[in-house]
Each structure stands twice: as structure tokens, then as C-alpha cells.
Amino acid sequence: MDNSPPQRTALAPLILIVALFFLWGVANNLNDVLIPHLKKAFFLNDLQSGLVQMAFYLGYFFLALPASVVMRRWGYKAAVIVGLLLFGLGALLFYPAAEVRQYSWFLAALFVLASGLAFLETSANPLITVLGDPAKAEQRLNFAQAFNPLGSITAVVVGRQFILSGVEPTKAEFAAMTPAQLDAFQTAEAHSTQVPYLVIAGVVLAWALLVALTKFPHQAGRPDPGETDAGLPAAQAIPALLARPRFLFGVAAQFFYVGAQVGVWSYMIRYAQHEVPGMGEKTAAAYLSWSLVGFMAGRFLGTAAMSRVRPALLMGLFAAVNVGLTLTAALVGGKTGLLALAATSVFMSIMFPTIFAGSLKGLGPLTKTGSSFLVMSIIGGAVLTAAMGALSDASAINFAILVPCACFAVVGLFGFTAGRATREDLRTAPVGAH
């Protein structure tokens, strides 16, 4: 039988899905620019500015399970389309938020946008893991995720160029402004977000149309009645997942990893300006840009290294390095601390996809519900970033880096105990749940 036509028709869906990793990289890392930008525009403290990530990751938390319901009933493709529509709507909402100049409106727009990303990540990540040899799931997902930092780098470059104004009045200069001058400053800062997010909305909604018009392979569409891959009902799947220690540890590790990643990137600009006096926001953003380049390079290098080193062990080693780097950032500080903090991105690179794929191994009909729990664990980005903001307000931003330091220790433990945890999982999992 000639299999050439199916292979050709599968190429377009593959490109469309891999592009999603780029698109949500853009959305995630624009937050790292928005935090210092909105802090300045609305005169926020670190905890208040950290609510950007709280609103964003609450969208992930609340919409991940509904996304799994859509996947089980209508398939991966339907979940992707719903996700893109919500993503586009959230980006469009930035326009009225800037017009009314209300911080709460920006937070609401971010919640809607992230709700769409919850659908995208819940569907795209497991879809990549099931398309091929299960033994190479981590390597395959790491390759797909390698396109995510391209979006991250694009976001910071765009944000630095079109959102950050470079206008940073001192407290004395603010105090000397008339009400009209202050109003003009805040208006300009708020309006700078409009065009970038309108462009994002246009691209995302166009992508939704392309996905809707493209024929996808059978496993991406509506599941057949009784099909194993359709997943179990949540009432059966959730108790079965709770009986799997390895999976539960994976959810916890993902919670702490995302908290570390989001916290480091969200406060890197703030840290740079605190530890290197006189550094402007655009210069500080350049350090974040180069850090994300390191993240991308680390993902490609890490993916290649997985052909020689077990993915979980490699991740454990990377996490141990990051414990040392974050301790340096917290306790040494200055330019050395900034470089150490920026370098953590190289070693964070493989963590999310390795935890994700490793946690889903062997779940079978539990995969879709399991994926939703792993996406829900992204709430760590909200909880731990807010904790960093509170600690920074109570002490200093460098001590807040101790939070991601502890997070990397948890990720390292997950990686180093992979073999033992998997054997324990097989012993305790209920019959029929494999």
C-alpha cells in the first residue's frame, strides 16, 4: 500500500500545531514586559504588579479541566480551535483596557487570553507525546517545545521595542508633574499595549481559521464511541490518577517548575535594575532577551543530549545547577548575580516538557485527564510569583530569588527519583488503569 498521500496531508496539521508552541511563547513572555510596564503606569508595588501572572495563570487553572472535557468529546482539533478563539478574544480586550486605563481590565483580558492557552497546552502537549514511539516521548516533546522560546524571544524584543517607552521619571519628577502631565504620561503608557496585542489577535484568529479548514489525522478529531484513546470519564479517571504516586509527583514538580520559571523571568528586569544601579528598563530587558536565547539553545542541546542521558536524570542535573545559580543571584547579587540569574534559563529549558511527558507515561486512557491536571499545575506561576512579590516588598528583590531556588530543588528530586517512582507507580496503580 502506498502511504505517501497520508504523509503529505499530515504535514500541514503538524506545522499548524508546532506553531502553537511559538504563539503561546509570545503570550507568556509578553507578561515579563507587562509587569514592569504596568508597575510604572499604575504606580504598583511588586506584589500588585505580580497580579499580572496571577490573573494569567488562574486562566490556566480554571480552564484546563473544561479543555480535557472538550478533547474527550470532540477531539484535539476542537480544543485547539476553542483555545485560539479565546486567545484572540483576550488579546482584543487589551484595546478597551487601555482606553479606560483600568488595571483590573488588563487583568481580565489576561485571564481570557490565558483561558485560551489552557485549551492549547492541554491539547497540543499530549498530542505530541502520542504521535510516535512512547520511549521517545520526552525527546519528541522537547523538540516541539524548542519552538516555544522562539516565541518568548520575539515577545521580549517586541515588548522592548513597542511597549516599553524608556521614559522612567524619578519620584521627584513625578511629584513635579501637573495633573494634566501625569494623565498624559499614564495614557501614553497604557496605549502602547494596544497595537502589539491587536496584531497578536489578528494572527491568532487567522490561525484558528486555518486549523478549522485543515484536515487533521483521525486521532486529532472526534473520538469514535468506545475508543480507548477517548479517555475515561472524569469520575473514573481522577481516582485512578490519584492512585499513581509518580503522576502526582509530576504534577507537584510542574507546579514548582512553572513557579520558578515565571518568577525568574517576571522579576529579571526588576532584579537587574535593583542590583545594577542606573540600569534602564530597556537595557534590563536585553538581559532577559539573551536569557531566553539561552533557554532556546538549552532546549536544542538538551534534546540532543537525551539520546545519551536519560531525560529525567539530565533534568535532575540541570535542576542542581540552577539551585547553585539562584543561590548566587540571591546571596552574591550585583552583575555576577544578574548573570547567574540569566544563566538559569539554559538549564530550565528541558524541564517543562520532560516533566510533562514523563508524568504522562503509561497513562493510556487517563492521558487526556492527566494532561489537564498538568496544565492546571501551571497555577504555580501565579502563586509563587505572587509569593516572590510579597517577599520582595518585605525585604529585597534578591532574597525573593530564594523562592525559585527551592522550586528547582523539588524538580531535581523528581528527576533523580524517576526510576524508583515509576516502579512504585506500577505496583500501586489500579487494575485496568495502565
Side-chain angles (χ1 to χ4, degrees):
M1 175 184 279
D2 181 13
N3 292 324
S4 296
Q7 290 173 348
R8 284 198 299 269
T9 56
L11 181 60
L14 181 63
I15 293 172
L16 289 173
I17 297 303
V18 169
L20 299 180
F21 290 82
F22 173 87
L23 290 174
W24 75 61
V26 171
N28 275 276
N29 286 91
L30 266 180
N31 290 350
D32 304 326
V33 174
L34 279 178
I35 286 175
H37 181 73
L38 296 179
K39 175 183 172 67
K40 178 178 64 173
F42 292 101
F43 309 116
L44 308 173
N45 61 31
D46 285 334
L47 177 58
Q48 290 170 326
S49 65
L51 292 179
V52 164
Q53 300 292 22
M54 177 69 78
F56 192 80
Y57 288 102
L58 281 174
Y60 275 96
F61 183 78
F62 286 115
L63 272 295
L65 274 177
S68 74
V69 172
V70 171
M71 281 195 299
R72 287 197 304 270
R73 188 163 183 179
W74 292 289
Y76 290 112
K77 180 178 177 179
V80 167
I81 293 172
V82 172
L84 287 168
L85 292 175
L86 286 171
F87 185 176
L89 175 61
L92 286 174
L93 289 175
F94 267 75
Y95 193 90
E99 287 299 310
V100 299
R101 283 169 36 208
Q102 291 291 323
Y103 185 47
S104 59
W105 282 52
F106 282 101
L107 297 181
L110 285 166
F111 178 85
V112 175
L113 189 154
S115 298
L117 299 189
F119 273 82
L120 296 181
E121 295 212 38
T122 303
S123 55
N125 282 294
L127 182 55
I128 293 292
T129 67
V130 299
L131 294 177
D133 182 1
K136 295 183 178 179
E138 290 99 333
Q139 191 171 4
R140 192 164 55 252
L141 185 54
N142 268 283
F143 175 76
Q145 286 268 3
F147 292 89
N148 179 258
L150 288 173
S152 302
I153 295 166
T154 300
V156 177
V157 171
V158 169
R160 181 171 177 257
Q161 186 67 33
F162 298 105
I163 293 179
L164 295 178
S165 64
V167 179
E168 301 176 78
T170 63
K171 289 183 179 180
E173 289 170 334
F174 272 127
M177 286 184 181
T178 65
Q181 290 172 326
L182 190 60
D183 183 74
F185 169 78
Q186 290 187 299
T187 298
E189 295 294 307
H191 282 181
S192 69
T193 64
Q194 288 179 320
V195 172
Y197 277 92
L198 283 176
V199 171
I200 290 172
V203 171
V204 167
L205 294 175
W207 218 256
L209 181 61
L210 286 173
V211 171
L213 296 176
T214 301
K215 184 177 180 180
F216 273 63
H218 169 72
Q219 63 266 36
R222 183 192 298 270
D224 293 333
E227 186 181 355
T228 301
D229 190 49
L232 296 176
Q236 297 178 40
I238 292 174
L241 289 170
L242 293 177
R244 290 176 171 263
R246 178 61 176 171
F247 172 75
L248 295 178
F249 196 3
V251 172
Q254 201 71 291
F255 175 91
F256 285 106
Y257 165 67
V258 175
Q261 182 207 75
V262 173
V264 167
W265 290 350
S266 295
Y267 289 114
M268 189 175 295
I269 294 174
R270 172 82 172 86
Y271 178 93
Q273 292 186 295
H274 180 270
E275 291 298 313
V276 186
M279 181 177 287
E281 61 182 6
K282 291 201 170 190
T283 302
Y287 277 89
L288 177 58
S289 298
W290 283 110
S291 181
L292 294 173
V293 171
F295 183 81
M296 180 177 65
R299 185 157 279 173
F300 281 110
L301 293 172
T303 301
M306 286 177 187
S307 61
R308 296 177 177 271
V309 183
R310 280 192 303 109
L313 175 59
L314 185 65
M315 180 179 68
L317 294 171
F318 277 21
V321 172
N322 270 359
V323 169
L325 289 172
T326 47
L327 281 175
T328 301
L331 304 179
V332 177
K335 189 71 172 288
T336 300
L338 175 57
L339 292 173
L341 191 64
T344 59
S345 293
V346 175
F347 302 97
M348 283 195 282
S349 56
I350 66 168
M351 292 180 185
F352 182 92
T354 303
I355 296 170
F356 204 103
S359 301
L360 293 180
K361 265 191 173 178
L363 291 189
L366 303 175
T367 298
K368 289 178 179 176
T369 303
S371 173
S372 69
F373 271 87
L374 285 163
V375 172
M376 288 175 70
S377 71
I378 290 174
I379 190 70
V383 175
L384 297 172
T385 303
M388 287 181 69
L391 183 56
S392 176
D393 287 335
S395 55
I397 188 65
N398 58 303
F399 293 122
I401 305 301
L402 292 173
V403 174
C405 180
C407 294
F408 288 128
V410 175
V411 173
L413 185 62
F414 177 77
F416 289 133
T417 59
R420 186 178 64 186
T422 301
R423 290 192 294 272
E424 182 183 348
D425 219 34
L426 292 173
R427 287 198 303 269
T428 58
V431 176
H434 299 295

